[in-house]
């Protein structure tokens, strides 16, 4: 077999594997999409494709319940999530730079503390946190979510940035210092641009997790008018009467669309962006 | 990239600003006067929604409840009507589903941020009131605003009076309901007499599955522990499962009998098997067979009676009973309760609103039976006149009132202990015990131990 | 005068030497406020009988003792969690790495594939996915429908205690996207020149993988391993939504027990004790991995920490 042929064969095999695995992986989602176009009765029937395509799931689902449509829930989710993402990226990378590039008094101890924080089960801190937020008057707002992001953004992101930074050779820093850069400039001009993959990963992860967060809003947000999508979806679901599954599935898909769009556009950057760094060779 | 970043920062700062402010302002309210005049502390306090403003009589009440869409719609309509009549009152609605509601209320009570008016479930009251007798306001002190005349004194005493105070009012009445799907029963040749015993339930009920192996007489998840096992125990012994002094009121032998019966339901295919019901735990009505006329009956509270689409095929029969039972066991209780927070700054206004909802025509006719058959006599007769009551539900209550079971004591509503019992019954059905006696002994032991611990903690 | 200047110099010197401290200052504040304080409070609670609605009363080690000796559910729950973690973490990482490797090749439409594989993770622990999972794994759901084609009889995925945990594991493994994305990023950082040199020297594909790829991405592998392990040990959402811990507590992971004890039974003090035990377990496991890391993890920046 010629080299051309073999290359082609390999490529074909790769494609086949990728497609097959993709289909298996995505079957639940494929099912979900088709189901959202069915009417409620059909959902529990075996056929994948609806016998009668209908948009009623989307139309009725969007209306939401009570006074608020899903437009409100969307708006609220953005209000909550965007600041969180922004502050997390800035704050976590800043802090990670400190950990990754410097020796300083108490470093080992602080690092150990940071790792330990990642492992503390969240559930345990919920009640003391709740009482604290209430005393500060932050309840029924998005502050309990946003403010902690300004102060480090969470150990996960700090750790992640750290690991990425450590993959960037120190020689770059050193040559910048020799040229007279301050530490902050090294952070901003040298290391951060090279850490684009990490930045985008952090953005995507934080966006995704905040977008999907259910328990936090459940505790801290009281009024339906401030519900983010997660609570709105849940509210549609948990009624006494029989549930309209097609509405819920339709709204679930709609609520996930921004995440998909974000990932699709951003992932171009973060995986291929490292190409022109000049480190190679 | 830079442009994007600047735009992103601008957007986020704006939303942060809005979000932070959002905590202080009312949702879409026209309280411009108050917000302009308020100082920093005023704005912060307004986050609790309870601060009276300096300008005029403007009052804001927070009202929280759970329910489904129909209840939300009806309640919101009621609120709107009330606000129209009383332009100085603003009622902020906080509503959602049942799931997670108890957690939210508990956290709110613990943190002092509960709403002015709260809808509560009766099983929670004992816990709340034993922990802190001052969570809720005594409603008898609002004689001018809120009339308690229409409510049966016995009913109130049984369910609404704690530590000598009337801390809540029933929004409606609930009774145990044996709701059957006539179509399914007819097709399977099931026949019940006027009085139905548990024996009858098995003998007749198994015909449903015999007629069609996919169908079952009873649709229930492990709520079966309550609606069958505990009621069975109750009828058999007339005693509470858990006494006020944290001891078990029933014996291991009693448990054995009740558990044996429960297991029979599964063995003889009267009830849908655990493997299937597990998937719809907490919401058995989500099982598609439910609306497909494949289940014969529903043992539950009457307030859930209208959660099916059986139409005219829905009928209430007498709740199964034990031959020679000591207590009818057919429990009657409030469907939900309304209470006023003792921390509320506008208790009188809250009481007035409660009166509107429970005692006055306008409120009654708007709410109808979204919270089940009203507990207030006047309200009930008004709705009956207008034909706005769901017949099977009211029939269940009528049956129950003939010989109501003694209400369960406060301590019996210990989730933890009952979950343990439910777990053991589940294991029994899955064949993890050699026989019912072993299971009963285990249950007795486990529950006693747990109660001892709980008792020690409560000192 | 002299001393003043000396002191100033000494301070400036110290600041210069410890620049890092200022970078991590925001985090220090955040930790003290949002982690330490609640953390300490919960520690205190674990020695009390706090039930949210009463005043906490000190009870010493009672909670801990009860957990280990009297609680019927603790040891089974621990076992379930352990099995779950042991199954989920290796499989998740393996799939993630495998797919990342395949995707790393220059294939047309690679962006599309990346998104497709990541999709399950995006939906995360959402309510909607749990519903879909339930319906699919029902007795007459699609999964059994597909299995019927290969002649495997209908399995009660969720109702049967033997398979329920597997269902939850599958849901978790299905969401390997986040690890995959990180592996992809790491793979991109491996210099092509190394591969080229190796191929010239006659190395085969497998050798390339084991001798070049794997060692270089170990820092990310390390990160993924730690994060996935920590998450797995605290898992809650999927068990909560799909099976509610059943049947017969076969999916009652520690995270669920914590939630139930804290928010259903309101035994806040007791639940705090449980959380501290979980914390301890997680720390031990993490230390183990950290210890071993010097043997197998490679850092581009010299590894000095």
């Amino acid at each position: 077999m010629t080299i051309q042929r073999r290359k082609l064969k390999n490529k074909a095999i790769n494609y086949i594997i990728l497609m097959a695995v993709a289909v298996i992986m995505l079957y639940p989602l494929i099912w979900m999409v088709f189901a959202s176009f069915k009417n409620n009765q059909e959902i529990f029937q075996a056929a994948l494709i609806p016998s009668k395509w209908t948009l009623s799931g989307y139309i009725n689902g969007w209306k939401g319940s009570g006074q608020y449509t899903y437009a409100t829930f969307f708006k609220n989710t953005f209000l909550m999530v965007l600041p969180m993402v922004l502050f997390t990226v800035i704050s976590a990378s800043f802090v990670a730079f400190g950990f990754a590039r410097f020796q300083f008094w108490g470093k080992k101890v602080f690092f150990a503390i940071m790792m330990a924080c990642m492992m503390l089960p969240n559930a345990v801190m919920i009640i003391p946190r709740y009482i604290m937020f209430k005393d500060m008057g932050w309840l029924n707002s998005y502050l309990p979510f946003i403010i902690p992001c300004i102060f480090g953004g969470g150990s996960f992101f700090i750790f992640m940035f750290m690991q990425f930074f450590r993959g960037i050779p120190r020689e770059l820093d050193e040559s910048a210092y020799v040229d007279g850069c301050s530490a902050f400039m090294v952070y901003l001009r040298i290391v951060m641009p090279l850490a684009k993959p990490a930045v985008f990963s952090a953005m995507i992860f934080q966006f995704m997790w905040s977008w999907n967060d259910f328990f936090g809003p459940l505790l801290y947000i009281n009024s339906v008018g401030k519900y983010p999508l997660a609570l709105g979806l849940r509210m549609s679901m948990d009624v006494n009467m029989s549930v309209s599954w097609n509405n819920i599935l339709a709204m679930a898909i709609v609520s996930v669309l921004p995440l998909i769009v974000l990932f699709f556009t951003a992932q171009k950057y973060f995986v291929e962006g490292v190409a022109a760094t000049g480190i190679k060779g | 990239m830079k442009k994007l970043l600047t735009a992103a920062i601008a957007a986020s700062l704006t939303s942060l600003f809005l979000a932070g402010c959002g905590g202080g302002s009312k949702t879409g309210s026209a309280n411009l006067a108050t917000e302009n005049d308020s100082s920093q502390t005023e704005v912060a306090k307004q986050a609790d929604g309870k601060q009276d403003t300096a300008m005029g009589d403007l009052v804001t009440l927070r009202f929280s409840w759970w329910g489904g869409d129909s209840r939300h719609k009806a309640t919101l309509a009621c609120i709107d009507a009330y606000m129209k009549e009383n332009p100085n009152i603003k009622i902020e609605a906080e509503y959602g589903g049942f799931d997670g509601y108890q957690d939210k209320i508990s956290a709110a009570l613990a943190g002092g941020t509960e709403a002015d008016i709260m809808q509560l479930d009766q099983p929670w009251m004992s816990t709340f009131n034993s922990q802190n007798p001052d969570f809720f306001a005594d409603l008898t002190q609002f004689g001018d605003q809120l009339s308690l005349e229409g409510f049966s004194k016995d009913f109130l005493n049984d369910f609404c009076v704690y530590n000598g105070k009337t801390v809540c009012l029933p929004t409606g009445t609930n009774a145990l309901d044996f709701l059957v799907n006539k179509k399914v029963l007819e097709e399977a040749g099931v026949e019940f007499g006027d009085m139905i015993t548990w024996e009858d339930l098995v003998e007749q009920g198994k015909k449903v599955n015999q007629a069609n192996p996919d169908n079952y007489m009873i649709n229930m998840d492990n709520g079966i522990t309550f609606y069958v096992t505990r009621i069975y125990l109750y009828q058999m012994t007339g005693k509470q499962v858990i006494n006020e002094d944290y001891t078990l009121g029933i014996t291991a032998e009693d448990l054995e009998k009740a558990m044996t019966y429960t297991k029979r339901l599964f063995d003889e295919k009267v009830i849908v098997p655990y493997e299937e019901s597990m998937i719809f735990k907490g919401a058995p009505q989500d099982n598609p067979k439910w609306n497909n006329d494949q289940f014969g009956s529903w043992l539950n509270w009457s307030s859930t009676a209208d959660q099916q689409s059986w139409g005219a095929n829905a009928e209430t029969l007498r709740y199964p009973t034990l031959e020679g039972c000591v207590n009818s066991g057919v429990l009657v209780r409030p469907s939900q309760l309304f209470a006023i927070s003792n921390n509320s700054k506008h208790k009188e206004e809250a009481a007035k609103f409660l009166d509107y909802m429970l005692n006055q025509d306008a409120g009654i006719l708007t709410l109808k039976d979204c919270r089940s058959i009203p507990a207030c006599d006047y309200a009930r007769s008004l709705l009956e006149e207008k034909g706005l009551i769901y017949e099977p539900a009211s029939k269940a209550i009528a049956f129950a009132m003939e010989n109501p079971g003694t209400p369960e004591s406060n301590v019996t509503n210990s989730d933890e202990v009952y979950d343990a019992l439910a777990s053991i019954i589940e294991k029994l059905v899955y064949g993890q015990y050699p026989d019912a006696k072993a299971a009963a002994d285990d249950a007795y032991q486990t529950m006693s131990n747990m109660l001892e611990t709980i008792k020690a903690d409560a000192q | 005068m002299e001393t003043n200047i000396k002191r100033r110099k000494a301070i400036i010197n110290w600041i210069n030497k410890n620049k890092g401290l200022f970078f991590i200052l925001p985090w220090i504040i955040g930790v003290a406020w949002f982690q330490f304080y609640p953390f300490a409070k919960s520690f205190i609670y674990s020695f009390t009988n706090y039930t949210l609605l009463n005043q906490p009363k000190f009870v010493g080690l009672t909670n801990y003792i009860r957990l280990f000796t009297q609680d019927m559910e603790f040891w089974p729950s621990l076992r379930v969690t352990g099995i779950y973690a042991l199954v989920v973490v290796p499989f998740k990482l393996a799939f993630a790495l495998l797919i990342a490797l395949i995707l790393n090749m220059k294939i047309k439409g690679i962006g599309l594939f990346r998104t497709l594989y990541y999709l399950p993770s995006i939906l995360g622990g959402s309510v909607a996915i749990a519903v879909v999972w339930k319906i699919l794994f029902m007795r007459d759901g699609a999964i059994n429908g597909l299995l019927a084609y290969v002649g495997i009889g209908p399995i009660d995925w969720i109702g049967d205690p033997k398979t329920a945990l597997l269902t939850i594991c599958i849901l978790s493994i299905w969401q390997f996207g986040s690890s995959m994305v990180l592996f992809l990023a790491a793979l991109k950082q491996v210099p092509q020149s190394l591969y080229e040199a190796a191929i010239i020297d006659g190395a085969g594909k497998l050798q390339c993988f084991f001798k070049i790829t794997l060692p270089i991405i170990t820092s990310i592998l390390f990160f993924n391993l730690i994060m996935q392990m920590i998450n797995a040990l605290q898992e809650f959402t999927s068990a909560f939504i799909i099976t509610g811990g059943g049947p017969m507590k076969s999916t009652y992971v520690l995270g669920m027990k914590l939630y139930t004890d804290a928010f259903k039974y309101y035994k806040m003090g007791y639940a705090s004790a449980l959380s501290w035990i979980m914390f301890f377990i997680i720390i031990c496991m993490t230390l183990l991995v950290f210890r071993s890391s010097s043997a197998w993890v490679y850092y581009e920046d010299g590894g000095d920490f």
Side-chain angles (χ1 to χ4, degrees):
Chain A
M1 213 188 272
T2 62
I3 300 203
Q4 289 287 64
R5 277 264 188 84
R6 181 185 285 165
K7 267 208 173 139
L8 213 60
K9 190 183 91 166
N10 280 339
K11 263 208 172 150
I13 295 182
N14 280 334
Y15 267 114
I16 293 179
I17 297 181
L18 283 179
M19 283 308 298
V21 175
V23 168
I24 297 178
M25 286 268 299
L26 295 179
Y27 184 73
L29 300 179
I30 298 174
W31 180 88
M32 194 169 138
V33 172
F34 280 121
S36 70
F37 290 109
K38 297 181 184 171
N39 59 33
N40 212 13
Q41 298 298 79
E42 270 196 75
I43 293 205
F44 290 98
Q45 283 161 24
L48 179 65
I49 319 263
S51 62
K52 209 177 83 164
W53 293 73
T54 165
L55 281 179
S56 65
Y58 288 92
I59 301 178
N60 291 331
W62 185 261
K63 291 199 202 125
S65 59
Q67 316 151 291
Y68 302 100
T69 68
Y70 270 79
T72 314
F73 299 145
F74 257 97
K75 174 190 106 200
N76 290 337
T77 316
F78 274 114
L79 274 182
M80 185 177 90
V81 168
L82 284 180
M84 286 175 78
V85 169
L86 182 74
F87 288 124
T88 300
V89 167
I90 296 177
S91 188
S93 61
F94 194 71
V95 173
F97 186 68
F99 271 119
R101 287 316 208 210
F102 298 98
Q103 289 297 336
F104 50 85
W105 175 79
K107 176 174 178 176
K108 285 219 156 72
V109 173
F110 284 127
F111 180 72
I113 294 178
M114 189 196 81
M115 290 305 293
C117 286
M118 250 197 308
M119 301 172 237
L120 185 63
N122 245 323
V124 141
M125 298 190 281
I126 294 235
I127 294 293
R129 274 207 193 127
Y130 179 84
I131 297 185
M132 182 173 73
F133 289 139
K134 169 226 149 207
D135 287 339
M136 295 192 286
W138 288 5
L139 285 186
N140 212 25
S141 77
Y142 301 123
L143 290 176
F145 303 100
I146 298 175
I147 305 291
C149 290
I150 302 183
F151 293 98
S155 297
F156 172 80
F157 293 107
I158 300 177
F159 191 45
M160 188 183 86
F161 272 111
M162 267 182 67
Q163 295 299 91
F164 269 101
F165 287 166
R166 297 182 69 179
I168 299 173
R170 276 184 198 264
E171 292 83 21
L172 291 175
D173 293 35
E174 269 143 42
S175 44
Y177 284 127
V178 161
D179 285 345
C181 284
S182 73
F184 184 67
M185 278 172 69
V186 171
Y187 159 73
L188 200 56
R189 296 278 156 100
I190 312 274
V191 172
M192 275 308 273
L194 289 179
K196 272 220 194 88
V199 168
F200 280 102
S201 302
M203 277 177 59
I204 294 177
F205 285 136
Q206 181 63 305
F207 190 86
M208 192 176 90
W209 292 343
S210 327
W211 191 267
N212 276 333
D213 188 14
F214 167 67
F215 197 67
L218 180 69
L219 271 195
Y220 300 132
I221 310 279
N222 288 324
S223 38
V224 185
K226 296 218 176 90
Y227 273 7
L229 280 172
L231 287 185
L233 247 184
R234 190 55 178 254
M235 194 173 84
S236 302
M237 257 188 61
D238 107 283
V239 287
N240 291 329
M241 300 294 291
S242 261
V243 164
S244 292
W245 292 115
N246 58 337
N247 290 355
I248 305 218
L249 290 176
M251 285 305 102
I253 291 179
V254 167
S255 69
V256 158
L257 278 177
L259 293 178
I260 299 180
V261 167
L262 172 72
F263 181 73
F264 202 20
T265 49
Q267 53 116 17
K268 256 192 315 196
Y269 284 103
F270 86 54
V271 178
E272 265 142 13
V274 195
T277 58
I279 302 186
K280 312 289 191 298
Chain B
M1 184 58 194
K2 250 206 178 123
K3 269 202 191 142
L4 192 63
L5 196 59
T6 338
I9 295 181
S12 304
L13 283 177
T14 323
S15 20
L16 175 59
F17 179 65
L18 286 174
C21 285
S25 69
K26 318 292 185 306
T27 29
S29 96
N31 270 349
L32 293 173
T34 50
E35 279 171 49
N36 286 338
D37 288 327
S38 299
S39 65
Q40 264 301 79
T41 32
E42 288 293 287
V43 173
K45 277 189 197 159
Q46 303 233 346
D48 287 347
K50 296 184 199 128
Q51 182 71 2
D52 221 342
T53 71
M55 317 283 288
D57 286 320
L58 210 53
V59 167
T60 306
L61 295 174
R62 283 170 57 212
F63 175 25
S64 96
W65 76 88
W66 79 82
D69 269 346
S70 51
R71 186 180 296 166
H72 296 330
K73 281 208 182 72
T75 316
L76 288 169
C78 186
I79 291 178
D80 278 339
Y82 187 75
M83 288 202 294
K84 275 212 184 70
E85 270 183 42
N86 300 276
N88 63 319
I89 312 249
K90 179 166 192 311
I91 301 180
E92 273 175 18
E94 297 171 11
Y95 56 93
F98 187 69
D99 211 6
Y101 186 86
Q102 185 182 5
D103 302 338
K104 225 168 72 158
I105 287 275
S106 304
L109 282 170
T113 57
E114 71 276 14
D116 299 85
I117 305 172
M118 295 167 272
Q119 177 179 314
L120 302 167
D121 202 15
Q122 191 260 329
W124 309 340
M125 294 310 284
S126 57
T127 323
F128 288 154
N129 280 295
S130 58
Q131 301 290 10
N132 182 349
D134 293 320
F135 273 141
F136 310 111
D138 186 340
L139 298 175
T140 51
Q141 51 176 309
F142 303 113
D144 290 336
Q145 290 91 3
L146 172 60
S147 160
L148 302 182
E149 294 300 303
F151 298 95
S152 137
K153 288 260 171 351
D154 289 331
F155 203 56
L156 286 182
N157 275 332
D158 283 338
F159 298 108
C160 302
V161 176
Y162 292 89
N163 304 308
K165 297 197 295 178
T166 308
V167 291
C168 54
L169 282 180
T171 59
T173 328
N174 229 342
L176 285 182
D177 186 359
F178 181 40
L179 187 74
V180 300
N181 184 334
K182 278 197 285 202
K183 180 161 163 239
V184 176
L185 266 50
E186 270 166 26
E187 283 173 11
V190 171
E191 277 175 21
F192 286 117
D194 190 40
M195 295 299 278
I196 306 172
T197 66
W198 293 107
E199 244 344 279
D200 292 335
L201 182 59
V202 173
E203 288 307 312
Q204 295 293 321
K206 63 185 180 192
K207 289 187 187 165
V208 173
N209 184 259
Q210 282 165 356
N212 182 339
D214 273 341
N215 298 356
Y216 295 94
M217 178 68 190
I218 306 178
N219 178 22
M220 182 56 63
D221 56 11
N222 52 3
I224 201 78
T225 315
F226 173 72
Y227 296 107
V228 171
T229 322
R230 273 163 62 186
I231 303 295
Y232 190 95
L233 277 173
Y234 211 26
Q235 291 174 342
M236 182 170 64
T237 66
K239 301 215 181 73
Q240 303 283 345
V241 174
I242 304 180
N243 293 328
E244 299 269 351
D245 63 354
Y246 301 96
T247 57
L248 283 174
I250 41 96
T251 66
E253 286 79 30
D254 297 329
L255 275 175
E256 188 188 338
K257 293 205 192 91
M259 288 165 97
T260 309
Y261 178 77
T262 313
K263 183 154 189 297
R264 268 184 75 197
L265 286 177
F266 287 92
D267 290 340
E268 310 215 24
K269 300 208 194 297
V270 180
I271 186 176
V272 55
Y274 263 128
E275 283 91 347
E276 203 178 315
S277 66
M278 241 233 72
I279 305 182
F280 301 100
K281 193 158 134 181
Q285 69 272 24
D286 286 348
N287 190 330
K289 289 189 190 172
W290 177 245
N291 280 327
N292 225 14
D293 290 335
Q294 288 182 271
F295 286 123
S297 69
W298 177 244
L299 289 161
N300 212 309
W301 293 104
S302 56
S303 59
T304 61
D306 54 359
Q307 282 172 31
Q308 27 68 17
S309 50
W310 299 341
N313 281 325
E315 188 186 352
T316 295
L317 301 178
R318 285 184 188 283
Y319 208 80
T321 180
L322 197 57
E323 292 215 16
C325 63
V326 175
N327 188 309
S328 84
V330 187
L331 299 177
V332 180
R333 53 158 256 200
S335 48
Q336 302 93 19
L337 304 163
F338 279 145
I340 300 181
S341 153
N342 225 355
N343 286 331
S344 167
K345 305 257 183 343
H346 308 291
K347 297 203 222 356
E348 284 90 12
E349 292 298 339
K352 252 180 81 184
F353 182 55
L354 278 189
D355 192 70
Y356 180 80
M357 284 196 290
L358 298 173
N359 288 327
Q360 296 180 27
D361 284 19
I364 298 171
L365 288 173
T366 317
L367 290 176
K368 293 194 227 151
D369 62 348
C370 74
R371 291 189 172 77
S372 203
I373 318 251
C376 166
D377 291 328
Y378 175 70
R380 185 169 50 240
S381 39
L382 181 60
L383 287 183
E384 267 168 7
E385 252 178 60
K386 309 246 172 186
L388 290 172
I389 293 200
Y390 189 57
E391 201 262 325
S394 75
K395 198 160 161 207
I397 296 183
F399 278 150
M401 295 301 261
E402 286 172 19
N403 186 1
T406 322
E408 296 183 285
S409 87
N410 293 336
V411 187
T412 46
N413 282 310
S414 170
D415 277 342
E416 200 186 343
V417 177
Y418 285 127
D419 280 354
L421 179 61
S423 280
I424 294 180
I425 293 183
E426 194 181 8
K427 281 202 204 150
L428 174 63
V429 171
Y430 270 104
Q432 301 283 313
Y433 288 101
D435 56 22
K437 179 162 186 338
D441 287 336
D442 195 13
Y444 189 81
Q445 202 50 49
T446 311
M447 286 163 67
S448 305
N449 288 343
M450 275 187 176
L451 284 170
E452 263 174 43
T453 314
I454 296 179
K455 177 173 179 182
D457 280 340
Q459 300 312 331
Chain C
M1 265 293 278
E2 280 248 335
T3 39
N4 269 344
I5 298 182
K6 266 219 182 110
R7 200 174 287 158
R8 275 235 310 268
K9 274 214 174 128
I11 294 179
I12 295 182
N13 219 2
W14 188 87
I15 292 181
N16 273 332
K17 268 186 133 181
N18 290 289
K19 269 194 275 243
L21 256 184
F22 294 97
F23 276 95
I24 69 169
L25 195 59
W27 170 79
I28 296 182
I29 298 176
V31 157
W33 191 3
F34 295 111
Q35 310 261 35
F36 258 4
Y37 172 67
F39 193 63
K41 271 244 137 148
S42 84
F43 188 62
I44 297 175
Y45 288 149
S46 77
F47 295 108
T48 71
N49 63 353
Y50 190 38
T51 62
L52 191 69
L53 299 173
N54 66 355
Q55 286 302 106
K57 208 178 66 177
F58 186 69
V59 290
L61 285 176
T62 318
N63 291 333
Y64 291 95
I65 297 178
R66 260 192 225 154
L67 265 176
F68 283 114
T69 59
Q70 280 185 16
D71 196 325
M72 265 194 338
E73 293 163 355
F74 175 67
W75 292 105
S77 183
L78 189 58
R79 201 178 126 260
V80 168
T81 313
I83 297 178
Y84 173 79
L86 275 174
V87 169
V88 165
V89 174
F91 274 101
K92 217 170 171 170
L93 291 180
F95 272 113
L97 185 55
L98 181 66
I99 302 290
L101 282 170
I102 300 182
L103 286 180
N104 196 28
M105 311 184 198
K106 296 213 176 8
I107 302 183
K108 271 230 178 89
I110 193 171
L112 175 68
F113 278 118
R114 264 200 295 257
T115 312
L116 290 182
Y117 283 115
Y118 194 55
L119 268 180
S121 305
I122 295 183
L123 292 175
S126 71
V127 173
I129 275 297
V131 169
V132 173
W133 218 251
K134 260 196 210 181
I135 299 180
L136 288 178
F137 280 90
M138 266 169 68
R139 201 143 214 277
D140 23 282
I143 302 289
N144 277 333
L146 290 172
L147 287 178
Y149 282 129
V150 248
I152 305 183
I155 305 180
D156 263 317
W157 291 98
I158 304 185
D160 187 345
K162 296 192 219 80
T163 53
L165 188 57
L166 186 61
T167 314
I168 308 286
C169 290
I170 295 179
L171 179 58
S172 237
I173 299 175
W174 185 63
Q175 296 176 341
F176 63 71
S178 41
S179 303
M180 177 195 83
V181 148
L182 289 173
F183 274 135
L184 260 178
L187 285 173
K188 287 290 173 187
Q189 283 187 329
V190 177
Q192 271 298 94
S193 51
L194 287 177
Y195 289 120
E196 286 155 19
I199 292 184
I200 292 178
D201 284 347
K205 271 249 163 85
L206 271 178
Q207 275 180 312
C208 275
F209 174 70
F210 280 107
K211 295 276 158 93
I212 302 180
T213 321
L214 203 49
I216 295 192
I217 61 169
T218 44
S219 56
I220 292 298
L221 178 60
F222 176 58
F223 177 73
N224 272 336
L225 176 61
I226 300 252
M227 289 319 300
Q228 291 306 326
M229 188 180 72
I230 292 177
N231 279 329
L233 289 170
Q234 294 183 49
E235 177 61 34
F236 163 75
T237 312
S238 43
F240 180 67
I241 294 181
I242 300 184
T243 61
M248 285 209 303
K249 300 283 195 289
S250 59
T251 57
Y252 199 54
V253 289
L254 282 175
M256 266 218 72
K257 179 166 171 56
L258 181 63
Y259 177 81
T260 311
D261 281 348
F263 292 102
K264 198 156 178 252
Y265 306 144
Y266 300 113
K267 304 192 311 191
M268 297 305 301
Y270 192 68
S272 302
L274 175 63
S275 75
W276 273 81
I277 293 181
M278 282 168 74
F279 180 46
F280 185 69
I281 296 176
I282 294 175
I283 286 210
C284 287
M285 296 301 300
T286 310
L287 278 178
L288 266 174
V289 177
F290 255 97
R291 269 289 166 81
S292 75
S293 76
S294 53
W296 56 274
V297 181
Y298 166 76
Y299 286 111
E300 177 72 52
D301 64 351
D304 273 326
F305 189 76

